[in-house]
Amino acid sequence: MELRSKTLAGKVTFRGVGIHTGEVSKLTLHPSEDKGIFFYRKGELLPALHPFVVNAVASTDLAKGNFLVKTVEHLTAALYLLGVDSVLIEVEYGSEVPILDGGAKTFVEEVLSVGLRETGRRQTLLRVKEKVRVQPNGNFIEVLPFEGELFEYEGEFPFVGRKRAVFDGKPTEALLGARTFCRLEDFPLLWANRLGLGGYPVNTLALDESLRYLVYSEEPAYHKLLDLIGDLALLGGRLVGRVYSFKGNHLLNHQLREVLLKGGYLEREEAGASRGREPLRPSASGTAS
Ligand code: ZN
């Protein structure tokens, strides 16, 4: 597997309400020659990488000092699915990535409207060396060596039942358009906890017995798969392997990144290097929990 490193061919701006804060933010994505996804605000750079995750409950938030960017996962998923690994994201105001349509569709469409450009490098590949399973409770994520990208999510959803979604390297409409979701009856609880303040029918799928808002029955599973991809993007490379998440969430995705990076389960293949692959850490074996 070899992928060309890409950036944007021009700049693109997103302005909108954040799903949790309810505040309006404005972000501008700029083409970048430097590899990596960086948020930028008044001279400060915040890398979109695992060590900068400060919260993984209900959303994935990054911070460096006082520079906080909340709910990065749909944007990082969109960039991952587009193969963009070099971009500077200027935060003009606000502290949360706009929720827009609730998925990755608007991000992908707007970026494609300005086009993509190859940087002349290769993407960083992170090959899974051996099987690893993160299983804190009844839910788990299993990662296996596989020559390619195969990510699966399976879960049990309110009123919808058990559903499964698969990403095999090709983004689909179902994956890009899958909205954030919530049980209709849980909205007051979220609001009481100062969450979901920017949730509206256009960006959030409200689940109730009638299923009147559901566009397709696997939509919640595809959204969780999108979250998984956006969270794995914070590993800082393209994961080459098979990932199966059973009822995973942001917190479990966070634990998985921690185990993959610190347990030596990944072999990093840098740009242009066909030899001399280096493990991230000395190899560790066994099951992580
Ligand atoms: Zn999400």
Side-chain angles (χ1 to χ4, degrees), residues 12-86:
V12 57
T13 296
F14 298 100
R15 191 188 294 107
V17 72
I19 184 75
H20 291 306
T21 60
E23 293 169 1
V24 175
S25 293
K26 184 181 175 189
L27 310 181
T28 297
L29 277 58
H30 297 270
S32 171
E33 292 309 314
D34 297 323
K35 193 187 261 192
I37 294 166
F38 294 93
F39 289 92
Y40 169 82
R41 186 188 68 184
K42 294 179 190 144
E44 287 180 281
L45 277 180
L46 168 60
L49 291 173
H50 175 71
F52 298 93
V53 174
V54 291
N55 172 54
V57 177
S59 62
T60 297
D61 306 342
L62 300 169
K64 190 175 162 195
N66 294 324
F67 184 12
L68 167 73
V69 183
K70 292 177 68 63
T71 319
V72 301
E73 60 271 20
H74 306 156
L75 177 56
T76 53
L79 294 170
Y80 194 94
L81 294 169
L82 287 164
V84 171
D85 66 350
S86 305

Side-chain angles (χ1 to χ4, degrees), residues 111-127:
V111 169
L112 287 177
S113 75
V114 299
L116 301 177
R117 177 165 64 75
E118 290 187 1
T119 67
R121 292 188 304 262
R122 290 182 197 169
Q123 295 209 13
T124 300
L125 302 183
L126 303 171
R127 282 177 204 280

Side-chain angles (χ1 to χ4, degrees), residues 58 71 73-74 99 102 179-181 223-224 226-227 250:
T71 319
E73 60 271 20
H74 306 156
I99 189 68
R179 292 166 292 167
T180 301
F181 64 93
H223 187 79
K224 297 294 268 185
L226 188 72
D227 283 342
H250 291 302

Side-chain angles (χ1 to χ4, degrees), residues 173-271:
E173 284 287 318
L175 177 61
L176 297 177
R179 292 166 292 167
T180 301
F181 64 93
C182 179
R183 286 203 309 185
L184 193 58
E185 66 200 72
D186 289 342
F187 274 99
L189 186 70
L190 277 175
W191 293 333
N193 286 296
R194 309 287 302 158
L195 292 170
L197 299 175
Y200 299 100
V202 285
N203 59 37
T204 304
L205 162 63
L207 290 172
D208 68 358
E209 236 161 67
S210 73
L211 297 179
R212 64 193 136 160
Y213 304 112
L214 198 69
V215 176
Y216 48 100
S217 64
E218 287 83 16
E219 189 175 357
Y222 271 105
H223 187 79
K224 297 294 268 185
L225 180 63
L226 188 72
D227 283 342
L228 174 68
I229 293 168
D231 285 343
L232 289 175
L234 304 181
L235 288 168
R238 201 91 195 172
L239 193 75
V240 183
R242 181 173 179 173
V243 181
Y244 174 73
S245 175
F246 181 69
K247 298 186 182 177
N249 51 30
H250 291 302
L251 200 54
L252 196 55
N253 298 343
H254 182 70
Q255 290 169 7
L256 176 70
R257 284 192 311 260
E258 184 78 7
V259 168
L260 285 174
L261 290 169
K262 300 214 168 141
Y265 291 98
L266 301 176
E267 189 172 60
R268 180 182 286 266
E269 190 178 316
E270 285 294 352

Side-chain angles (χ1 to χ4, degrees), residues 130-136 139-143 256 259-260 263 265 284-289:
E130 58 186 293
K131 179 178 166 178
V132 59
R133 187 176 166 118
V134 181
Q135 184 167 14
N139 52 356
F140 66 86
I141 308 179
E142 193 169 81
V143 177
L256 176 70
V259 168
L260 285 174
Y265 291 98
S285 59
T287 298
S289 58

